[in-house]
Amino acid sequence: MSSGSSFYVPLTSFAEMWYHIFLWALFSSIFVHTIAAAMCFATLRQHKYGKFFPLLIIIMGLLLPLTSGVLSSAAVAFVYRASRYPLPPLYALLWGIGQTLVAGCVGFTRILATL
């Protein structure tokens, strides 16, 4: 088996499923928050205190998947494992990036402010 074909081997154990979904959520969150931090720094680089805001954005980019991402990845992996349905790695990618997209949508739409 070549190293490139491991992307097509379905994930069957809970730990494999959780780990792959979590990693995609972590890396996609870091990617999005790094872009946001760069834009923030470019905009606020002359501000006395504003130039430190990108650090807070990066920290939130790590904390979000390390808290809610762990739990939601475990929930998805639990459902797949309980139903004995193998999880294709592409679906793990979609579930992980989907978590970041949902968090972004909640942040942009301010849904939490209406509750």
Side-chain angles (χ1 to χ4, degrees), residues 14 18 69-79:
F14 173 81
W18 171 81
V70 167
L71 297 174
S72 58
S73 298
V76 171
F78 177 76
V79 169

Side-chain angles (χ1 to χ4, degrees), residues 7 19-29 89 92-93 96-97 100:
F7 193 72
Y19 187 65
H20 281 79
I21 295 169
F22 168 71
L23 281 182
W24 280 112
L26 178 68
F27 291 139
S28 63
S29 178
L93 177 144
I97 293 175
T100 301

Side-chain angles (χ1 to χ4, degrees), residues 42-63:
T43 305
L44 297 172
R45 69 183 178 276
Q46 301 293 328
H47 194 273
K48 184 176 180 180
Y49 300 112
K51 59 185 166 194
F52 299 110
F53 287 170
L55 293 174
L56 296 174
I57 293 173
I58 295 291
I59 289 170
M60 287 307 299
L62 287 170
L63 286 180

